[in-house]
């Protein structure tokens, strides 16, 4: 019989039969959603601010414009980017980031791994699962996440192996609509001052000024935050190193990808428009079928 060693991440002790239960049910039938109060509030605020920006741009700036072409072109571009940003947010929030099945640290499961004599495997004592290489435990998701980068309350989820692409797209599209909103606000201020605030908006001048000032502040904050996050994520992907691994200064025990291989592993395949399409790979039929089998959506916590 082959011998192997199993180590806890916090302490060393043998794995007892029945200690971890029988494992988790199949996760393909579940809808991934983290029921964290802070995360749900932050996600709601994100949607509210994006929709607020869309309201100000559409109803305060574009619809009152005398130039139909200017209004149509900027309206289509801004609203299109907003849809892509919110879709990327949903995909990040509702995609399993790479959770390791709970309670798989059983004798039967370890026997199925066909471990080599003396080989060391790690068990997480918090969720009682065998930890793959580069997995870390998230105290909010209460799961071990493969290639966990960080837990982001604004998307109410961990950023990991399976949803990092959507998180990168979310930061990119938010940065783009923030830049667009600032440009439109600057042009609107210039136009309104030129005509002394007459006929530049359907709202009164004080209301228009307040709405646009709040939009500019929001856009500046969003642009700063998302631009920094976007750059950090691209840097991590190109270096094949997660934020947790960088902060912990972990020495790589894996073979690092080249920059190009790292980008392809996250975004999938050769460069194409699918890289920037958050709708790519969306399986609505499978989701609806899962809901039908279970009589409703299950929430993974």
């Amino acid at each position: 019989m082959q011998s192997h060693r199993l180590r806890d991440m916090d302490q060393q002790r043998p794995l007892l039969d029945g200690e971890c239960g029988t494992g988790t049910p199949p996760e393909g039938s579940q809808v991934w959603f983290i029921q964290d109060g802070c995360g749900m509030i932050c996600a709601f605020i994100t949607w509210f601010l994006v929709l607020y920006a869309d309201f100000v741009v559409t109803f305060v700036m574009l619809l009152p414009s005398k130039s139909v072409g200017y209004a149509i072109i900027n309206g289509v571009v801004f609203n299109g980017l907003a849809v892509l940003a919110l879709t990327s947010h949903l995909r990040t929030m509702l995609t399993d980031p790479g959770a390791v099945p709970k309670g798989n640290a059983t004798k039967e499961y370890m026997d199925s791994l066909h471990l080599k004599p003396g080989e060391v495997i790690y068990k997480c004592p918090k969720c009682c699962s065998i930890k793959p290489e580069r997995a870390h435990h998230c105290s909010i998701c209460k799961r071990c996440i493969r290639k966990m980068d960080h837990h982001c309350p604004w998307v109410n989820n961990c950023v990991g192996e399976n949803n990092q692409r959507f998180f990168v797209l979310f930061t990119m599209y938010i940065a783009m609509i923030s830049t667009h909103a600032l440009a439109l606000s600057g042009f609107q201020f210039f136009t309104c001052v030129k005509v002394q605030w007459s006929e530049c908006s359907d709202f009164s001048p004080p209301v228009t000024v307040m709405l646009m000032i709040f939009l500019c502040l929001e856009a500046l904050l969003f642009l700063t935050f998302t631009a920094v996050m976007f750059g950090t994520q691209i840097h991590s992907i190109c270096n094949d190193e997660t934020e947790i691994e960088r902060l912990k200064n972990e020495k790589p025990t894996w073979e690092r990808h080249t920059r190009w291989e790292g980008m392809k592993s996250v975004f999938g395949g050769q460069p194409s428009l699918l890289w920037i399409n958050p709708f790519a790979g969306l399986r609505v039929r499978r989701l609806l079928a899962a809901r039908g089998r279970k009589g409703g959506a299950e929430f993974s916590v």
Side-chain angles (χ1 to χ4, degrees):
M1 181 177 179
Q2 292 181 330
S3 62
H4 58 268
R5 291 177 292 166
L6 183 142
R7 293 180 181 174
D8 281 311
M9 297 307 295
D10 296 333
Q11 59 181 344
Q12 242 186 326
R13 61 186 175 84
L15 178 69
L16 302 178
D17 290 340
E19 180 183 357
C20 289
T22 58
T24 46
E27 299 190 13
S29 60
Q30 293 183 348
V31 175
W32 181 270
F33 183 79
I34 302 302
Q35 299 186 52
D36 173 61
C38 177
M40 289 188 287
I41 292 174
C42 289
F44 172 80
I45 293 174
T46 301
W47 273 69
F48 173 79
L49 292 176
V50 172
L51 294 177
Y52 168 81
D54 188 72
F55 168 79
V56 175
V57 168
T58 303
F59 293 97
V60 177
M61 301 183 192
L62 298 182
L63 288 183
S65 175
K66 294 180 180 180
S67 175
V68 177
Y70 170 84
I72 291 177
I73 292 174
N74 282 284
V76 169
V77 171
F78 189 88
N79 283 277
L81 291 175
V83 169
L84 292 172
L86 292 177
T87 302
S88 300
H89 184 273
L90 276 179
R91 295 296 302 273
T92 307
M93 182 170 60
L94 301 179
T95 297
D96 179 349
V100 179
K102 279 184 178 179
N104 68 350
T106 61
K107 184 176 183 302
E108 293 77 11
Y109 177 75
M110 292 194 326
D111 289 341
S112 69
L113 297 178
H114 304 293
L115 300 169
K116 298 177 182 179
E119 183 176 353
V120 177
I121 57 176
Y122 291 92
K123 184 194 101 178
C124 175
K126 298 175 182 177
C127 60
C128 214
S129 62
I130 299 297
K131 296 188 68 169
E133 189 177 43
R134 306 185 70 181
H136 292 84
H137 185 86
C138 174
S139 59
I140 299 176
C141 295
K142 297 181 177 62
R143 301 288 288 274
C144 286
I145 308 296
R146 294 184 181 89
K147 289 186 67 175
M148 176 181 169
D149 188 85
H150 68 287
H151 184 95
C152 179
W154 298 105
V155 297
N156 189 34
N157 201 1
C158 277
V159 177
E161 186 177 66
N162 294 342
N163 66 348
Q164 187 175 25
R165 166 175 168 255
F166 301 121
F167 182 75
V168 172
L169 294 182
F170 168 67
T171 58
M172 182 183 74
Y173 286 125
I174 290 293
M176 291 175 69
I177 65 173
S178 298
T179 304
H180 194 186
L182 286 172
L184 291 174
S185 298
F187 182 79
Q188 186 75 5
F189 272 117
F190 176 79
T191 302
C192 290
V193 170
K194 188 176 180 180
V195 299
Q196 297 183 351
W197 295 93
S198 62
E199 300 180 359
C200 73
S201 175
D202 294 335
F203 296 85
S204 65
V207 173
T208 301
V209 171
M210 290 180 60
L211 291 173
M212 292 176 60
I213 288 177
F214 186 79
L215 174 63
C216 289
L217 292 175
E218 173 196 340
L220 281 172
L221 290 174
F222 266 43
L223 176 59
T224 303
F225 172 74
T226 54
V228 170
M229 288 303 302
F230 177 78
T232 302
Q233 289 296 300
I234 295 298
H235 181 267
S236 296
I237 293 171
C238 290
N239 289 342
D240 194 16
E241 181 182 47
T242 66
E243 187 66 15
I244 289 181
E245 292 164 350
R246 186 187 68 81
L247 292 175
K248 290 186 174 181
N249 198 24
E250 295 182 1
K251 294 182 179 180
T253 57
W254 62 92
E255 183 179 353
R256 280 187 168 177
H257 291 146
T258 63
R259 294 181 179 180
W260 192 239
E261 289 174 345
M263 293 292 289
K264 290 194 294 184
S265 68
V266 171
F267 290 93
Q270 296 297 324
S272 68
L273 290 177
L274 294 177
W275 278 25
I276 59 174
N277 180 13
F279 295 96
L282 186 61
R283 296 180 175 88
V284 179
R285 291 182 179 179
R286 179 178 298 182
L287 178 61
L288 293 177
R291 288 171 61 92
R293 287 195 303 268
K294 288 291 185 179
E298 292 187 6
F299 296 99
S300 181
V301 294

